[in-house]
Amino acid sequence: MASQEVVANLTSVIEEIREIDPKLILRPELGEGSLENKVERHLEELYRKMDFATEMAHGVIGDTVNELIGILQVILANMQNMANYSLEDYVTQRDNFLLEFIGQLENLLLYWPPFITAAIEKKRFLEDEGVQKAFDNALEEIKKESSDSISRLQEETDKTIARANEHAQQIETRARRTATGISVEAAQEQFRLAQKDIQKRVRIWSGISAFAALLFILGAWYFSNLEINSEWKWQVIFYTATRVTILVTIGAFAAYSLKILRAYLHMSQHNLHRQRVANSISAFVESAITPEQRDLILTHLVEAVVTFGQSGLVQREDDTQLSSKLTVDTITRNFAATQSKSQ
């Protein structure tokens, strides 16, 4: 059997191998240039064999342990060289290291049967009772480990799914709030700019309408109080037609001004309503429970905001009839007033 000194040498070499950082061998940061996918499982196999060899070394003859030590020393030297290489040398030598490393692991198998034999004798697998007992113990241990592993796996799976769902919901909520907030702020800014322009036009057309209405009233008052020469005969018709034409022109301009003013007043109220709707989008969207409801509410609100509607600037049939009626009534009243004055 291996002496204490031989076992100590084996333990020393194994400790030196374990002191080497696996990341320096694998270099995962190199991506395709690393050995992570090619060497990692072989490293894990080496660590398992080293633990097993340390445990069973006392049951193996010294020569076999010394041969194993020699192979491990070669592996140690190769790993130390690989860990100390620069990036350029690492990329150059990685294929050679991989072949040498796998080859040395295969050399370990030449001296591995004695360690298996030592394990069989230590576990007393060759005795009937020992075999049954070992089998029962192994079976119980497997059941216990399986049950614990399944429980841990289920617990970790549930936690992972819960975290993923929560994270996804948070991302969706933040994305929706951000998108909604940006859209609402942009819409509010546009409506504020539009409201300033509309209010300016309302003030302009209010002044024009007031001036036109005042001009019409003053013209009608002036013509109604103007003295007519009693000697005039056919001249009365000429002056009456002239006055009527002037009043009709002023009245038409006043009616047009009032129409434009009414249109801009309508647009002002319509734009204010849009502003209120835009200010309320976030509140309406947040009041929804499901994403489908939020999408439906947002669609309707956006449609209500972007629809232009009837401004009043485009002439409609009822407006034409109203303007014509106003002109005819004005002409009739002024002509009647003129005739009464001439008589």
Side-chain angles (χ1 to χ4, degrees):
M1 299 301 172
S3 63
Q4 189 67 32
E5 182 181 357
V6 174
V7 175
N9 292 336
L10 175 64
T11 304
S12 177
V13 174
I14 290 175
E15 288 178 354
E16 290 186 52
I17 293 176
R18 286 194 172 277
E19 288 177 357
I20 300 175
D21 188 358
K23 292 183 178 180
L24 297 177
I25 306 298
L26 302 178
R27 306 282 180 103
E29 68 276 6
L30 296 180
E32 293 295 331
S34 71
L35 290 172
E36 184 176 15
N37 296 329
K38 298 179 180 179
V39 176
E40 187 174 16
R41 60 187 181 89
H42 295 299
L43 274 178
E44 293 175 355
E45 180 184 357
L46 174 63
Y47 294 149
R48 288 195 302 269
K49 287 187 180 297
M50 290 191 304
D51 293 337
F52 187 80
T54 302
E55 183 180 358
M56 302 301 168
H58 291 286
V60 181
I61 61 175
D63 292 340
T64 302
V65 177
N66 284 327
E67 294 291 342
L68 185 67
I69 292 174
I71 296 174
L72 291 177
Q73 286 175 340
V74 175
I75 294 176
L76 172 62
N78 290 333
M79 292 179 65
Q80 287 176 338
N81 292 334
M82 204 64 179
N84 294 325
Y85 280 150
S86 63
L87 292 179
E88 294 80 4
D89 294 335
Y90 178 89
V91 174
T92 304
Q93 298 295 328
R94 62 182 187 134
D95 293 334
N96 295 332
F97 170 79
L98 179 61
L99 294 175
E100 181 68 19
F101 187 76
I102 295 176
Q104 294 300 327
L105 287 181
E106 292 178 352
N107 290 336
L108 283 178
L109 299 179
L110 296 175
Y111 305 96
W112 204 243
F115 289 89
I116 301 297
T117 303
I120 293 174
E121 290 184 353
K122 185 176 181 180
K123 300 294 184 179
R124 302 177 64 183
F125 284 151
L126 299 180
E127 300 178 9
D128 292 340
E129 275 185 35
V131 172
Q132 184 63 38
K133 185 176 180 180
F135 176 77
D136 293 338
N137 292 337
L139 185 60
E140 289 296 327
E141 186 175 354
I142 291 173
K143 289 181 179 180
K144 182 178 179 181
E145 291 181 357
S146 300
S147 178
D148 294 341
S149 299
I150 292 174
S151 299
R152 288 194 300 269
L153 179 61
Q154 183 65 38
E155 184 178 353
E156 291 297 327
T157 301
D158 293 340
K159 290 181 180 179
T160 302
I161 293 175
R163 287 195 297 268
N165 291 334
E166 182 179 359
H167 188 57
Q169 187 174 6
Q170 291 175 354
I171 292 175
E172 181 185 359
T173 302
R174 287 197 298 269
R176 287 181 177 274
R177 288 179 178 175
T178 302
T180 303
I182 293 174
S183 301
V184 170
E185 291 179 1
Q188 291 171 347
E189 180 63 22
Q190 293 298 321
F191 287 136
R192 280 193 293 268
L193 295 175
Q195 189 65 24
K196 292 180 180 179
D197 181 70
I198 293 174
Q199 289 299 115
K200 181 176 70 174
R201 294 174 183 272
V202 167
R203 288 192 292 270
I204 292 174
W205 283 102
S206 294
I208 294 175
S209 300
F211 173 76
L214 180 61
L215 184 62
F216 180 82
I217 293 172
L218 291 177
W221 177 81
Y222 174 76
F223 289 141
S224 62
N225 291 286
L226 188 64
E227 294 292 336
I228 299 177
N229 194 338
S230 58
E231 296 180 356
W232 288 355
K233 295 182 180 179
W234 64 269
Q235 293 91 340
V236 173
I237 300 176
F238 172 76
Y239 283 107
T240 301
T242 302
R243 295 169 187 174
V244 169
T245 301
I246 294 173
L247 289 177
V248 166
T249 303
I250 297 174
F253 178 70
Y256 175 78
S257 300
L258 289 172
K259 174 187 174 182
I260 299 299
L261 175 61
R262 184 185 67 174
Y264 279 114
L265 288 173
H266 172 74
M267 291 177 65
S268 176
Q269 293 300 318
H270 194 184
N271 193 70
L272 288 174
H273 173 70
R274 287 176 175 176
Q275 282 185 281
R276 298 186 189 100
V277 174
N279 294 338
S280 304
I281 286 179
S282 298
F284 283 122
V285 171
E286 290 299 326
S287 65
I289 299 175
T290 62
E292 291 76 13
Q293 290 178 344
R294 287 195 292 268
D295 293 339
L296 184 62
I297 292 174
L298 185 60
T299 300
H300 284 291
L301 291 177
V302 170
E303 184 179 356
V305 170
V306 301
T307 302
F308 184 75
Q310 179 64 36
S311 65
L313 292 174
V314 180
Q315 190 175 27
R316 295 179 299 176
E317 184 178 356
D318 55 350
D319 293 334
T320 305
Q321 294 176 355
L322 178 62
S323 178
S324 301
K325 183 177 180 182
L326 177 63
T327 304
V328 173
D329 291 343
T330 304
I331 294 173
T332 304
R333 286 197 299 270
N334 282 277
F335 184 77
T338 304
Q339 290 294 327
S340 61
K341 285 288 184 181
S342 63
Q343 293 175 358

